[in-house]
Amino acid sequence: MTLYEQWKDIAYVERTQEEYDAFWSDYLAKEQKNYEHILENKDEKISGTFAELAELFNMDLVTFAGFLDGINTSLVNTLDLDSLTEESPLDLAIDMEKLYYNMLDAKADWLYTLPQWDTILTEQKRKEIKKSYNQTKIVVKGKKIGRNEPCPCGSGKKYKQCCLNKQ
């Protein structure tokens, strides 16, 4: 069983609400420390073997696989999580704008409000990313076709006598 499969088995097992809250609060505290480190050392190249990086971030191997699952979509080159082993070489080049966007999408306010973002993205850039994110959540309905209007299929008939009946 791969490290990532072990993570999924641990993270998504059925538990009581109390156990669930305890597990995730412990994990999220570790995750926040990792992001604080990453943001504080934004110019530092994060590379090494899977085991070395897990040790750098003070996480066990399985929990680190879970962290990589969360950050994977923010990486310049995504990882094949199922193929990772302790000896797998990793180069975590992070797209900071994408990371901020993904934190918004995950509704992780404890992460996208970290003060370390101030030195990475300007307030204006963060507002632009937030605006872009908000626009993806707006539902846009198409123009409603009236029953007596010409049918959009181009038949020349009224909509009610043509395509409205085919729906």
Side-chain angles (χ1 to χ4, degrees):
M1 182 180 297
T2 68
L3 293 166
Y4 181 57
E5 289 170 339
Q6 290 176 47
W7 164 253
K8 290 191 291 189
D9 283 350
I10 292 170
Y12 304 113
V13 70
E14 197 162 320
R15 1 174 112 88
T16 66
Q17 187 65 42
E18 194 174 278
E19 293 170 332
Y20 176 89
D21 292 343
F23 174 82
W24 285 107
S25 66
D26 179 54
Y27 171 77
L28 294 175
K30 292 176 185 176
E31 179 186 52
Q32 182 173 342
K33 286 188 187 314
N34 289 357
Y35 282 118
E36 287 171 351
H37 173 82
I38 289 168
L39 297 175
E40 288 169 359
N41 303 291
K42 66 181 185 296
D43 297 325
E44 181 182 303
K45 185 176 181 182
I46 305 170
S47 60
T49 66
F50 187 97
E52 290 169 346
L53 292 181
E55 187 176 328
L56 171 71
F57 288 108
N58 200 23
M59 295 180 117
D60 64 84
L61 297 173
V62 175
T63 306
F64 187 64
F67 174 73
L68 289 178
D69 181 30
I71 199 171
N72 199 24
T73 57
S74 302
L75 298 176
V76 174
N77 299 310
T78 58
L79 304 169
D80 177 11
L81 298 171
D82 286 315
S83 69
L84 295 177
T85 65
E86 292 180 46
E87 294 81 29
S88 297
L90 298 177
D91 182 17
L92 305 182
I94 301 168
D95 180 337
M96 292 298 182
E97 290 182 19
K98 195 185 262 187
L99 178 63
Y100 189 80
Y101 182 93
N102 289 338
M103 287 177 174
L104 289 169
D105 193 34
K107 296 173 182 51
D109 58 333
W110 64 95
L111 297 176
Y112 67 77
T113 57
L114 288 171
Q116 290 87 345
W117 280 111
D118 295 340
T119 61
I120 297 171
L121 300 173
T122 64
E123 188 174 340
Q124 180 64 28
K125 187 63 178 173
R126 284 180 280 168
K127 285 181 181 178
E128 287 174 22
I129 295 170
K130 177 109 169 99
K131 184 177 180 181
S132 171
Y133 166 73
N134 288 341
Q135 287 176 338
T136 65
K137 302 301 174 196
I138 297 172
V139 177
V140 180
K141 293 183 179 180
K143 181 182 178 279
K144 186 175 178 182
I145 304 164
R147 293 171 30 90
N148 290 317
E149 292 181 23
C151 191
C153 75
S155 67
K157 296 180 181 179
K158 288 184 177 182
Y159 181 58
K160 68 181 177 186
Q161 295 171 340
C162 189
C163 291
L164 179 65
N165 293 329
K166 295 176 185 173
Q167 289 181 345

